[in-house]
Amino acid sequence: MTSKTLLIIEDDASTRILLTKIAESLDYVVAGAKDGERALAYLAEHTPDIILLDLLLPLMSGQQILNYIYADERLTQTRVVVLTAHGPLARELQLRPHDQVLIKPVHANLIRQSIS
């Protein structure tokens, strides 16, 4: 059986660690990126099953990364869960039907439900 993969794009190290622990508890193989450039470098070579995406990142916004994901044919089945503390930014997003937004702070159980 092939493991599911999950990419966490989050600049806050402690949040990345927490999200990694949650995803690994659900048997995901987890990769992390602390900025947009690292995220795009990873996505150029890999096709994760799920992406957890913070909107406010250094070097590139989460919206720019989302635009890249939506433009890449390889990533049409990759689910994106946007995690943000900025509700007004989240309301402006044009998401695909299988994607979602969670407003921080988010309880670990809600994250588990969103990625299971």
Side-chain angles (χ1 to χ4, degrees):
M1 183 170 137
T2 305
S3 297
K4 285 188 164 189
T5 58
L6 184 140
L7 172 62
I8 300 167
I9 307 171
E10 167 65 61
D11 59 321
D12 181 73
S14 60
T15 302
R16 240 184 2 263
I17 291 167
L18 175 63
L19 294 172
T20 297
K21 288 180 181 182
I22 292 169
E24 287 176 345
S25 76
L26 296 170
D27 295 324
Y28 281 95
V29 174
V30 179
K34 66 180 183 178
D35 60 53
E37 288 181 0
R38 286 181 171 91
L40 295 188
Y42 177 87
L43 291 171
E45 308 236 343
H46 301 89
T47 306
D49 295 292
I50 298 180
I51 297 171
L52 296 179
L53 173 64
D54 185 18
L55 281 184
L56 296 179
L57 297 163
L59 307 177
M60 182 179 298
S61 74
Q63 179 65 61
Q64 289 171 302
I65 296 167
L66 197 59
N67 292 343
Y68 172 90
I69 292 166
Y70 285 3
D72 189 328
E73 293 278 328
R74 296 174 310 108
L75 301 172
T76 57
Q77 297 303 310
T78 297
R79 220 163 123 257
V80 179
V81 177
V82 174
L83 299 169
T84 185
H86 303 280
L89 287 176
R91 284 189 285 281
E92 295 175 12
L93 295 175
Q94 300 294 315
L95 299 177
R96 300 176 296 196
H98 62 281
D99 296 337
Q100 76 179 109
V101 174
L102 298 177
I103 304 297
K104 295 176 184 177
V106 181
H107 193 277
N109 285 336
L110 184 55
I111 294 170
R112 278 188 194 90
Q113 289 172 359
S114 295
I115 65 174
S116 325

